[in-house]
Amino acid sequence: MLDPSLLRQQPADLAARLRETRGYALDADALASLEAERKQVQVRTQELQNLRNTRSKAIGQAKAKGEDVAPLLAEVAGLGEELKACEARLDAIKAQLDAITLGIPNLPDASVPLGADESGNVELHRWGTPRGFDFEAKDHVELGARNGWLDGDTAAKLSGARFTVLRGQLARLHRALAQFMLDLHTGAHGFEETNVPTIVNAESLFGTGQLPKFEEDMFATELGEQKRYLISTSEISLTNIVRDEIVEAERLPMRMTAHSLCFRSEAGSHGRDTRGMIRQHQFEKVELVSIARPAESGAEHEFMTRAAETVLEKLGLPYRRMLLCSGDMGFSASKTYDLEVWLPSQETYREISSVSNCDAFQARRMQARWRNPESGKPEPVHTLNGSGVAVGRCLIAVMENYQNEDGSITVPEVLRPYMGGVDRIA
């Protein structure tokens, strides 16, 4: 959530910034009206509490003197009724304010370009040269089906649309990619490997911003009265590790990585993305999360993005880095880099990693703080997350970029130790 002082002191200015940068309509008048009423009711509530305490003491003193306490008892009863009504109204106002504030997206960093959608994104650099083929390049679905490795029909029988069964050497290559990424991020980049739950409670989703706004994108489970959610990314589990915590300065940055299953309902049609493994209900990612000091989060964002880029470079996959514009960023992000990998079958770059700095937005929702040694006081940390990278999409990129005319796939050199020395799967 945003800094409460912006909401309370500058609602009109905040509404203008959100409208310009995010296309978000904030009703500043309604917010200001609720805030004014909250202050008024809160002051009256405190007055009533003080009056009740004062009168209660007076009753005790009057009883000790043998005086008639009936008038004082009647007054205290009246104060109690009014106090109860004020407290109920204060709770209702706070609930209304929470409903508004929890639905407001993060403000973009000053370095983020303005734009309404992906057409406003800015390409920063490219790496690698797309391969030229002397035969007609096939897409990953045809390559997988040809060898019996990728089976959407069986997955549909088991679970429905947008699920995939992987078999044989392709399943092993998928596993090899995840292991390679984890070894790289823990060994070369200093992230701590972490195994986290894939089912979380609602508090965790409120913390990272999926609830209440994006509940329809989540798969949920119910056991009795307990509702839990399948994670859409292990960012949720990893980031919430510091929820309701005060982290000591020497522990920052906390760099964590996890390989996990991820689940997204992603309602609606996405055209050709519904074919194959581009957009699945169940997929795997190697996630990167960092909990950082506010002054260092910009540098940490660059570090994490380079860590993801290194995965693609070691695999020899051409990619480009994009700086997302204000209208194309995620709800919690203040700045996002997308890495897009080259897919020969589409003759274009497609997203394979998104790395975001959320500054203090998630930390305020989670009450995640660090103890600033200069002030000695707890302050919100900055949280960052990114794919390091999406395993399924990386598998697609390897299949298509390393395909051979006979339908076999050359195994990238860095993956061969994970494949028992195999240099080609067929």
Side-chain angles (χ1 to χ4, degrees):
M1 61 190 295
L2 297 177
D3 186 340
S5 65
L6 288 175
L7 295 163
R8 293 173 181 172
Q9 300 171 16
Q10 306 171 42
D13 290 344
L14 176 60
R17 290 175 65 187
L18 287 167
R19 183 171 55 252
E20 179 186 19
T21 60
R22 289 286 205 164
Y24 181 86
L26 174 64
D27 190 337
D29 292 337
L31 188 64
S33 177
L34 281 170
E35 180 58 27
E37 186 182 1
R38 183 197 66 78
K39 290 179 180 178
Q40 181 182 14
V41 175
Q42 188 163 308
V43 168
R44 180 56 180 164
T45 300
Q46 292 171 342
E47 289 175 349
L48 290 168
Q49 289 171 338
N50 292 333
L51 280 171
R52 186 179 63 176
N53 292 338
T54 301
R55 295 298 186 270
S56 295
K57 289 180 181 178
I59 289 172
Q61 293 170 351
K63 283 183 176 180
K65 295 177 182 178
E67 299 174 352
D68 181 13
V69 296
L72 287 172
L73 289 171
E75 183 181 0
V76 168
L79 290 173
E81 289 297 318
E82 186 181 355
L83 177 59
K84 186 177 179 181
C86 282
E87 288 174 338
R89 180 56 189 157
L90 191 59
D91 287 343
I93 294 170
K94 287 180 178 178
Q96 288 178 276
L97 286 170
D98 285 345
I100 294 173
T101 56
L102 289 173
I104 300 173
N106 202 356
L107 288 168
D109 183 79
S111 62
V112 171
L114 293 179
D117 51 39
E118 63 181 12
S119 64
N121 297 343
V122 177
E123 182 178 325
L124 299 181
H125 65 249
R126 297 189 182 195
W127 183 92
T129 302
R131 173 187 169 189
F133 291 87
D134 56 8
F135 58 91
E136 184 177 353
K138 303 171 182 64
D139 72 1
H140 74 285
V141 178
E142 186 175 355
L143 287 166
R146 178 175 180 174
N147 293 290
W149 294 328
L150 191 156
D151 188 348
D153 292 338
T154 298
K157 178 179 71 174
L158 299 174
S159 305
R162 299 196 201 175
F163 291 89
T164 300
V165 169
L166 296 179
R167 294 191 181 94
Q169 293 282 57
L170 194 64
R172 185 175 185 180
L173 186 61
H174 184 268
R175 173 164 55 92
L177 281 165
Q179 291 177 308
F180 158 68
M181 293 175 200
L182 284 174
D183 286 349
L184 179 64
H185 293 316
T186 56
H189 302 144
F191 287 82
E192 180 181 42
E193 185 171 351
T194 313
N195 191 298
V196 293
T198 55
I199 299 178
V200 296
N201 54 32
E203 290 81 0
S204 295
L205 294 175
F206 273 101
T208 44
Q210 283 76 20
L211 290 184
K213 191 174 178 65
F214 303 105
E215 184 167 12
E216 66 178 16
D217 293 335
M218 308 297 297
F219 283 103
T221 66
E222 292 191 38
L223 182 62
E225 297 182 358
Q226 183 70 50
K227 187 173 184 179
R228 293 188 177 90
Y229 299 82
L230 280 68
I231 60 171
S232 55
T233 164
S234 55
E235 165 209 341
I236 297 166
S237 304
L238 290 169
T239 308
N240 273 278
I241 286 174
V242 295
R243 189 175 83 224
D244 297 323
E245 300 281 341
I246 298 176
V247 183
E248 295 303 323
E250 58 269 18
R251 294 181 62 196
L252 301 176
M254 289 176 59
R255 294 172 177 161
M256 298 170 282
T257 184
H259 169 223
S260 75
L261 287 167
C262 305
F263 304 87
R264 290 182 185 171
S265 66
E266 301 202 275
S269 173
H270 295 271
R272 64 182 174 182
D273 281 358
T274 61
R275 170 178 162 83
M277 294 178 62
I278 290 285
R279 198 176 294 274
Q280 298 272 278
H281 288 316
Q282 175 185 309
F283 56 98
E284 296 178 35
K285 277 202 305 175
V286 171
E287 186 74 5
L288 305 174
V289 162
S290 183
I291 312 300
R293 303 182 189 206
E296 298 173 355
S297 68
E300 192 69 8
H301 192 201
E302 298 295 329
F303 174 83
M304 291 175 64
T305 307
R306 276 300 302 150
E309 287 177 336
T310 303
V311 171
L312 302 179
E313 290 173 12
K314 287 187 175 293
L315 290 169
L317 297 173
Y319 71 88
R320 64 180 183 177
R321 184 198 287 202
M322 305 293 291
L323 172 60
L324 298 197
C325 70
S326 57
D328 198 35
M329 291 193 307
F331 177 79
S332 298
S334 64
K335 184 175 183 178
T336 299
Y337 294 124
D338 268 10
L339 302 183
E340 298 179 348
V341 70
W342 177 257
L343 293 186
S345 67
Q346 298 183 16
E347 295 187 337
T348 191
Y349 291 92
R350 297 300 305 270
E351 179 199 339
I352 194 170
S353 173
S354 190
V355 188
S356 297
N357 187 352
C358 299
D359 55 53
F361 187 84
Q362 292 177 326
R364 292 192 189 97
R365 298 169 74 104
M366 296 188 300
Q367 286 296 297
R369 295 167 292 170
W370 72 299
R371 195 174 302 281
N372 189 331
E374 295 183 3
S375 65
K377 297 179 180 179
E379 300 173 6
V381 295
H382 278 197
T383 63
L384 302 96
N385 65 82
S387 305
V389 295
V391 181
R393 292 195 178 189
C394 196
L395 178 67
I396 292 169
V398 169
M399 291 172 69
E400 294 197 7
N401 283 279
Y402 282 89
Q403 65 179 289
N404 302 304
E405 189 171 8
D406 62 359
S408 64
I409 298 167
T410 300
V411 176
E413 189 172 346
V414 293
L415 296 182
R416 293 174 190 174
Y418 301 91
M419 296 288 292
V422 171
D423 61 4
R424 179 181 295 208
I425 60 175

